[in-house]
Amino acid sequence: MAQVSINSDLGEWGSSTDSGERARLLQSPCVDTAPKSEGEASPEGLGTGTTSTIGAIFIVVNACLGAGLLNFPAAFSTAGGVAAGVALQMGMLVFIISGLVILAYCSQASNERTYQEVVWAVCGKLTGVLCEVTIAIYTFGTCIAFLIIIGDQQDKIIAVMAKEPEGASGSPWYTDRKFTISLTAFLFILPLSIPREIGFQKYASFLSVVGTWYVTAIIIIKYIWPDKEMTPGDILTRPASWVAVFNAMPTICFGFQCHVSSVPVFNSMRRPKVKTWGGVVTAAMVIALAVYMGTGICGFLTFGAAVDPDVLLSYPSEDMAVAIARAFIILSVLTSYPILHFCGRAVVEGLWLRYQGMPVEEDVGRERRRRVLQTLVWFLLTLLLALFIPDIGKVISVIGGLAACFIFVFPGLCLIQAKLSEMEEVKPASWWALVSYGVLLVTLGAFIFGQTTANAIFVDLLA
């Protein structure tokens, strides 16, 4: 591997003391890694991790699949049908996989073990801070989406249990959406979010995998053997315009975004080589693609253009198999919210400590008070926003644009900076090709993010 001149301005904000803390911020729930120092890293980049190649594939698939699955049928409808949706996913998959490989390359070059640490080391302070802020906003938005998903699924389940139509005017106060979301959040999510460490992550990961595969199976089965009362809307066969195709990109980015947790997974492998990692992420993305395509195609063909942004809401409330899928999604989201909050809180904590120039090894009582305050503010803000933003499609669009930054922009910047920093007198032709590819990644990610932001702002204003 070419030697890379890495930026060394991490200490400009007095942040050297909290590097170990920030190195644990966004590790995958299933990853167990040992600290890696420069003396422990061999020239070949071999680490002391315990994760096998098969295990790494499973972890990446687990990190990729999640609640974003529910939005893929609507993404196919937005893109303009099955052909456009499949072509869009296949085209984006090339960039998604290459971004994961770039991050592994830069992780070995910089000897860093998490996404934000790699960006800090390779691209410098400004880009590193921007990356951490983006992670905080992304996790915050995802927590809002999780609460909306809980409310959506609870509405359907309560309608069946109460034997009343959804949103009926004479419904009791305790079946109101705002009350049920708030009660669930205060009883389950808040207590799980306050602790400093999260020890149930492995159970949450298993639950998420089971729920995801069950939802996919139900959507496929319901397409093959549809209920009589389910009549599809218009089945689009071509996109209305190229803009419509691009509007489906944020959902795909949100679904395939596993890049933030990919760096710790790579470093947890027994033999973390970039070539091996390329095979791991290719296999993982093919598996995720199969799940997303099965859900997207079958869900879209079942309901057509009438499909809801959350596909489970399109099914009848009294369908027992779908009700079980809703329960799986609720349980998965209940345990996923604290994990996302933990990641976001850790980034905010790192930024605050760096700004104050305070070491991590400070008074425990002060840390506890600050953690509880941060958790309460985060929890209450996400809850309030979830109560007054009923359309999950808008939230997914915004955080999907942020996901594009993790998939395209930051890996592209890392590739450009890494190649520009190579200490070689003669640059081969591949050098220019790689730099150009990095520019392409940054441009594509900036386009998706810019378009998403513009839609979120101007469409609502015009409406």
Side-chain angles (χ1 to χ4, degrees), residues 285-455:
M285 292 302 103
V286 168
I287 295 172
L289 178 68
V291 175
Y292 283 137
M293 285 182 61
T295 303
I297 293 172
C298 294
F300 169 70
L301 293 178
T302 301
F303 300 104
V307 66
D308 195 276
D310 179 343
V311 66
L312 291 184
L313 299 185
S314 298
Y315 292 94
S317 301
E318 61 274 8
D319 191 312
M320 185 55 63
V322 177
I324 295 174
R326 294 190 180 104
F328 264 121
I329 291 297
I330 291 175
L331 290 174
S332 175
V333 168
L334 283 176
T335 52
S336 297
Y337 179 109
I339 295 174
L340 265 295
H341 163 260
F342 172 78
C343 297
R345 186 182 69 198
V347 171
V348 173
E349 177 78 352
L351 287 169
W352 172 256
L353 292 177
R354 187 185 305 111
Y355 177 76
Q356 294 291 322
M358 299 165 59
V360 173
E361 298 79 7
E362 60 176 333
D363 179 65
V364 176
R366 293 174 61 187
E367 183 279 328
R368 184 183 298 111
R369 288 192 298 270
R370 191 169 59 251
R371 169 165 42 88
V372 172
L373 178 61
Q374 290 171 350
T375 300
L376 288 175
V377 172
W378 182 289
F379 171 78
L380 292 175
L381 285 176
T382 55
L383 178 59
L384 286 173
L385 289 171
L387 295 179
F388 294 99
I389 304 177
D391 185 4
I392 192 175
K394 295 181 179 179
V395 180
I396 295 298
S397 178
V398 173
I399 59 180
L402 292 174
C405 294
F406 302 129
I407 295 174
F408 302 106
V409 176
F410 292 119
L413 290 174
C414 286
L415 179 61
I416 294 170
Q417 184 61 44
K419 302 312 291 183
L420 291 176
S421 301
E422 284 185 354
M423 308 300 290
E424 296 178 359
E425 295 182 0
V426 180
K427 299 180 177 65
S430 61
W431 185 92
W432 298 103
L434 290 172
V435 172
S436 300
Y437 186 73
V439 173
L440 175 63
L441 284 177
V442 174
T443 304
L444 181 58
F447 170 77
I448 297 174
F449 176 74
Q451 182 198 30
T452 302
T453 305
N455 287 342

Side-chain angles (χ1 to χ4, degrees), residues 90-102:
M90 296 295 291
M92 292 185 67
L93 203 65
V94 175
F95 299 105
I96 291 169
I97 294 174
S98 65
L100 291 165
V101 175
I102 291 169

Side-chain angles (χ1 to χ4, degrees), residues 9-19 22 120 125 350 352-360:
D9 55 4
L10 295 182
E12 292 184 18
W13 282 12
S15 62
S16 59
T17 54
D18 71 337
S19 60
R22 289 189 291 120
W120 259 91
K125 180 184 71 175
W352 172 256
L353 292 177
R354 187 185 305 111
Y355 177 76
Q356 294 291 322
M358 299 165 59
V360 173

